[in-house]
């Protein structure tokens, strides 16, 4: 009989930080961590809330709220993206910062975890407004970021241009160029080859490694992708182009599309570029984001936001592999259901760690002022993802737990070891 500790009591689905703390508790029990260590792992180290005015195009001023949370820095400078979204909250940023801590530890990067966010609706802001918002936020958080302290990167609705503005703002304040203050920059400013597609590429490698254990073949196998942004579209492209998969469904915030005999993801990208959405792609049937999760497919890639697979729909998931390109798409209660249904879950902190892995390569290149070729970046990324998957799979098998618990066991043990070795100051 497989053993898997059951989460106790209901999770508040609206609060990702409650989920994040719950995940720590589940694994702290398995690792026999003492109460003091458990408390450390359940608290963010440092949180900055900033409220700042931005001049809008019509001449008016608006005050925006932003956050930067540095969750744990026992293993190195903190690392993690910045997201622009109307639903950003301090608790969401805390959860995402915790997940970054575990993610960096799973793939063994010398980093702690952090995250930032601004409550805003970037889809309804001009480029000039976004630049002023970004520069002012960068200036407000410059107190606590830097190549040796905390290194931001892109996340939901931020991109290489956002990073260029942050790099420039920080550099202006220092009086010299500091490319290592952010990753995910344009290549012309010290960005890395391969960073733009690293999250999707890493995810595709992990799916490839897991397929034989999940009893499926990716060649001619079916794939559904929820969220056709940076992570989702690259995962779809690579599974299609390099592994011969059929992309049967994709979606974005406006809705989804389905075609049983597969679609060319590059053509979907073109359609999205032209029309602003995947919806209306010729020859495909319209489906909702909720329906997409439940279609019969070999691989399901949630690549959008948190709280998508819950106790309500977990039982209806028909995929054999769920590969979490998004952060936090599955709730702990749903994990147990998927485990019982023998669905192979590739947890976010492993499946989407390719992004931060190449961010680490970018930072290392920036600090050395010595840049690598694309083939070198991808070779090293592949090695990190393949090795990390193998380690997680081994822990899952030997402890009879699902992959998320195994990934957390690996990560929390590494962070706890670092805390213990450093000791408690003073
Ligand atoms: N935002 C990405 C993530 O959630 C990348 C973070 C980074 O590269 O620092 O993993």
């Amino acid at each position: 009989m497989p053993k898997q500790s059951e989460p106790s009591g209901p999770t508040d689905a609206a609060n990702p930080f409650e989920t994040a703390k719950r995940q720590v508790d589940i694994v702290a029990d398995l690792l026999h961590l003492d109460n003091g260590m458990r408390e450390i792992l359940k608290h963010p180290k440092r949180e900055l809330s900033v409220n700042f005015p931005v001049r809008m195009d019509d001449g008016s001023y608006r005050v925006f709220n932003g956050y930067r949370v540095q969750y744990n820095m026992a293993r190195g400078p903190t690392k993690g993206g910045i997201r622009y979204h109307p639903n950003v909250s301090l608790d969401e940023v805390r959860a995402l910062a915790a997940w970054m801590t575990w993610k960096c530890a799973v793939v063994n990067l010398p980093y702690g975890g952090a995250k930032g966010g601004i409550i805003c609706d970037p889809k309804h802001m001009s480029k000039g407004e976004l630049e002023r918002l970004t520069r002012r936020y960068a200036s407000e958080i410059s107190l606590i970021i830097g190549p040796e302290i905390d290194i931001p990167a892109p996340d939901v609705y931020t991109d290489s241009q956002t990073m260029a503005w942050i790099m420039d703002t920080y550099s202006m304040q220092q009086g010299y160029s500091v490319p290592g203050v952010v990753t995910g920059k344009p290549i012309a400013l010290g960005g890395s080859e391969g960073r733009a597609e690293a999250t999707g590429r890493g995810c595709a490698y992990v799916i490839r490694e897991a397929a034989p254990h999940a009893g499926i073949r990716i060649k001619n196998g079916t794939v559904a992708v929820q969220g056709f942004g940076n992570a989702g579209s690259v995962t779809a492209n690579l599974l299609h182009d390099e592994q011969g998969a059929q992309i049967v469904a994709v979606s974005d915030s406006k809705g989804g599309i389905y075609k049983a005999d597969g679609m060319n993801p590059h053509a979907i990208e073109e359609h999205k570029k032209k029309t602003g959405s995947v919806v209306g792609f010729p020859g495909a049937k319209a489906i909702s984001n909720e329906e997409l999760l439940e279609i019969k497919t070999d691989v399901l890639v949630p690549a959008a936001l948190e709280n998508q697979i819950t106790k309500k729909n977990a039982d209806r998931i028909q995929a054999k592999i769920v590969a979490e390109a998004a952060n936090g798409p599955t709730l702990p209660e749903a994990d147990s259901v998927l485990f019982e249904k023998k669905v192979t879950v590739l947890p976010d902190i492993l499946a989407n760690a390719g992004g931060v892995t190449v961010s680490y390569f970018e930072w290392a290149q920036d600090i050395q002022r010595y840049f690598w070729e694309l083939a070198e970046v991808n070779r090293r990324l592949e090695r990190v993802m393949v090795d990390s998957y193998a380690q997680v799979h081994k822990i899952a098998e030997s402890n009879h737990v699902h992959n998320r618990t195994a990934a957390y066991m690996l990560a929390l043990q590494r962070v706890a070891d670092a805390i213990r070795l450093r000791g408690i100051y003073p």
Side-chain angles (χ1 to χ4, degrees):
M1 185 62 194
K3 90 174 178 266
Q4 176 68 54
S5 72
E6 276 290 316
S8 50
T11 292
D12 176 6
N15 188 336
F17 191 46
E18 292 305 318
T19 304
K21 287 191 286 192
R22 212 95 170 289
Q23 289 164 333
V24 171
D25 272 332
I26 293 169
V27 177
D29 286 342
L30 294 172
L31 294 176
H32 308 294
L33 297 180
D34 61 46
N35 276 342
M37 185 62 76
R38 198 185 283 245
E39 283 306 302
I40 294 174
L41 297 176
K42 280 162 56 176
H43 283 86
K45 175 191 170 66
R46 189 179 284 151
E47 307 181 331
L48 181 61
S49 276
V50 290
N51 306 308
F52 54 90
V54 175
R55 186 167 37 79
M56 308 307 281
D57 288 345
D58 65 5
S60 66
Y61 295 90
R62 258 191 69 191
V63 173
F64 288 85
N65 321 109
Y67 308 100
R68 184 74 186 170
V69 173
Q70 298 171 345
Y71 198 82
N72 185 291
M73 44 180 74
R75 288 171 46 86
T78 52
K79 187 85 191 78
I82 292 170
R83 84 170 40 177
Y84 290 176
H85 197 276
N87 296 342
V88 163
S89 68
L90 181 55
D91 269 342
E92 184 195 51
V93 177
R94 285 173 172 149
L96 290 161
W99 292 331
M100 283 311 303
T101 309
W102 321 139
K103 189 186 303 186
C104 292
V106 168
V107 287
N108 214 4
L109 307 179
Y111 283 144
K115 203 83 176 196
I118 303 179
I119 304 170
C120 64
D121 190 356
K123 286 186 181 163
H124 293 107
M125 293 174 71
S126 71
K127 192 169 178 188
E129 289 170 342
L130 285 171
E131 176 171 356
R132 293 190 293 277
L133 174 91
T134 301
R135 286 185 179 279
R136 180 62 188 253
Y137 170 74
S139 165
E140 297 286 342
I141 66 165
S142 66
L143 296 170
I144 60 165
I145 64 170
E148 303 294 337
I149 310 171
D150 178 15
I151 305 118
D155 197 72
V156 173
Y157 296 136
T158 55
D159 57 16
S160 60
Q161 177 62 73
T162 322
M163 297 306 116
W165 290 326
I166 296 177
M167 179 270 195
D168 183 69
T169 303
Y170 185 84
S171 298
M172 286 295 126
Q173 293 187 344
Q174 300 298 311
Y176 57 93
S177 283
V178 189
V181 67
V182 283
T183 59
K185 296 178 295 295
I187 289 182
L189 297 179
S192 178
E193 295 286 350
R195 175 61 186 88
E197 60 164 23
T199 308
R201 180 167 283 280
C203 190
Y205 287 143
V206 176
I207 293 169
R208 182 192 73 194
E209 295 302 296
H213 300 140
I216 61 164
R217 280 168 150 271
I218 301 296
K219 193 166 169 50
N220 298 321
T222 52
V223 176
V225 180
Q226 187 202 40
F228 206 63
N230 176 262
S233 65
V234 174
T235 308
N237 286 344
L238 294 177
L239 289 175
H240 176 268
D241 298 354
E242 295 185 0
Q243 299 186 43
Q246 291 189 29
I247 310 303
V248 293
V250 307
S251 68
D252 58 30
S253 59
K254 301 204 173 80
I257 52 174
Y258 174 76
K259 192 159 180 281
D261 57 357
M263 299 170 280
N264 182 327
H266 301 283
I268 303 174
E269 247 182 330
E270 282 307 311
H271 177 80
K272 186 170 178 172
K273 233 180 252 163
K274 256 191 258 150
T275 66
S277 170
V278 301
V279 173
F281 183 69
K285 184 178 145 217
I287 55 170
S288 69
N289 262 295
E290 294 72 36
E291 285 167 335
L292 180 139
L293 297 171
E294 297 172 17
I295 65 169
K296 197 165 162 45
T297 176
D298 293 317
V299 182
L300 170 65
V301 183
L305 293 167
E306 301 94 90
N307 298 344
Q308 298 302 303
I309 305 180
T310 65
K311 204 167 184 174
K312 281 200 198 115
N313 62 2
D315 202 36
R316 297 196 295 272
I317 302 290
Q318 300 188 64
K320 309 233 175 43
I321 290 181
V322 173
E324 298 179 341
N327 290 311
T330 309
L331 289 176
E333 292 86 354
D335 267 332
S336 314
V337 178
L338 296 177
F339 185 66
E340 266 148 40
K341 281 166 61 91
K342 298 199 164 36
V343 177
T344 299
V345 174
L346 299 171
D348 47 7
I349 60 170
L350 171 67
N352 71 37
V356 73
T357 299
V358 177
S359 274
Y360 166 56
F361 298 161
E362 178 174 332
W363 176 77
Q365 292 172 77
D366 287 339
I367 285 171
Q368 296 179 54
R369 304 286 202 268
Y370 180 75
F371 291 88
W372 314 347
E373 287 172 3
L374 177 62
E376 175 73 7
V377 171
N378 286 345
R379 188 181 64 75
R380 289 182 188 239
L381 170 64
E382 181 170 11
R383 203 172 69 200
V384 170
M385 300 312 293
V386 169
D387 288 354
S388 302
Y389 171 76
Q391 287 183 44
V392 169
H393 179 66
K394 198 166 150 207
I395 295 171
E397 295 274 281
S398 54
N399 292 278
H400 308 292
V401 294
H402 56 61
N403 287 329
R404 185 179 328 275
T405 301
Y408 270 72
M409 287 172 78
L410 181 61
L412 264 62
Q413 190 67 62
R414 283 181 172 153
V415 177
D417 286 347
I419 294 170
R420 213 174 280 120
L421 283 165
R422 289 177 65 148
I424 302 300
Y425 175 87

